[in-house]
Each structure stands twice: as C-alpha cells, then as structure tokens.
Amino acid sequence: MLSVVAGITVLLAMAAFLGGYRINLTPSEPLGLWRIVPLDRPAAVDDLVFICPPETAGMREARSRGYLRSGLCRSGVAPLIKTIIAVAGQHVEIGAGVNVDGQLVPASGLALRDGKGRPLSPFPSGVVPRGQVFLHSPFAGSYDSRYFGPMPASGICGLAQQVLTYAL
C-alpha cells in the first residue's frame, strides 16, 4: 500500500512540474506554490517573472555564497522570481537606492553586507542593454540586479503566478 501511495505522489509531483508548478522556499517573494505562465509578448516593466540566471562568474559566486538554490536552469540553479523594473534603453542609477529614469524604486535600498557579514558590491549605474532586463524584489535581503546587474531576457521562463502562497 505504501508503495502505491509513493508512486501516486511521484506521478502527481511530475505532472505538477510539467504543468509549470513550482514551490518557492525563498523570502524574496511569498512562500508556497507558484505557476510559470507562458509569456507570449516581450517582457515589460512590472512583469513578475521566473528567470534562469546565466552561468557567469558572478552567478557562480552567488551560488557558492548560498544565494541561489540548485535547480534545472542550464546554469544548475533554480529560476529566480523577480519583478522587471527596467528594460532595454532605460537608465538605472544605483546609489542609496535604485532610480530608473530618475524615479526612485520603492524598497530598493542597498545592503553593504549580506546576512553573514560578507561585503556586497552594487552594480554600476548605466543603461540597460538591448536584450536585457533589470530585476528587483522588495525583500530587503534579496539578491537581484542591484548587485548582479541586468540579465538576458532570453532567460525568462514565463510570468510568475501565485497559486497558494503565504507572505511572511
């Protein structure tokens, strides 16, 4: 009987995964069940997306520090859930907070150190390059474009839709 229940559980988990369902266990967005919804248009400001980080030195460093969880992205990490706050051609200025085209992004203050006291370096200000997006999460400890800079829009898996979540 136990093996039947285990088998059914595995089948349900596989069906959910193939259906785009994911569990978020990070505080950057509410904890719980989310769904990846296909994006059939260009990504835009205010889109909440699942995005796979590229395999770069900065992302390898972030993974070694424990900021990124293992997952099925090509880079070996789980997709991030972040809001797009700037797209190609927009100017991002990083100071005490983040300004996009001269407008302060709420809850965008910078941390000088992570939760373990290790130094964090902000990404230099500039214009978001073509084919890239600038990401943000209002969670104070979020590791986002404030630190790693713009990411390729080609890494977007789809829109992030809350299914059954719990905000801390």
Side-chain angles (χ1 to χ4, degrees):
M1 179 66 167
L2 186 58
S3 63
V4 171
V5 171
I8 290 171
T9 302
V10 168
L11 287 174
L12 286 173
M14 287 174 47
F17 183 82
L18 293 173
Y21 289 89
R22 301 294 186 273
I23 294 179
N24 178 44
L25 299 173
T26 67
S28 289
E29 293 295 337
L31 306 175
L33 185 63
W34 290 72
R35 181 167 178 250
I36 300 172
V37 177
L39 183 61
D40 57 0
R41 57 170 173 72
V45 170
D46 294 330
D47 282 347
L48 183 63
V49 297
F50 277 93
I51 187 166
C52 282
E55 190 164 358
T56 63
M59 288 300 161
R60 284 190 293 278
E61 164 96 13
R63 189 169 183 193
S64 73
R65 285 183 170 207
Y67 304 159
L68 306 175
R69 299 183 187 272
S70 295
L72 297 177
C73 290
R74 193 172 289 164
S75 60
V77 300
L80 307 175
I81 304 173
K82 303 291 182 197
T83 300
I84 297 172
I85 60 169
V87 294
Q90 290 189 282
H91 186 266
V92 177
E93 185 177 333
I94 299 178
V98 178
N99 286 280
V100 176
D101 292 336
Q103 297 294 315
L104 179 65
V105 174
S108 65
L110 294 175
L112 299 177
R113 299 195 174 277
D114 69 10
K116 293 185 177 181
R118 297 170 293 197
L120 290 169
S121 298
F123 185 79
S125 303
V127 174
V128 178
R130 184 174 168 201
Q132 306 261 319
V133 292
F134 201 89
L135 307 166
H136 175 67
S137 170
F139 175 66
S142 176
Y143 188 68
D144 55 35
S145 289
R146 289 176 279 188
Y147 307 103
F148 57 69
M151 288 182 56
S154 61
I156 295 173
C157 306
L159 296 171
Q161 179 184 64
Q162 295 184 43
V163 176
L164 183 62
T165 60
Y166 173 77
L168 294 176

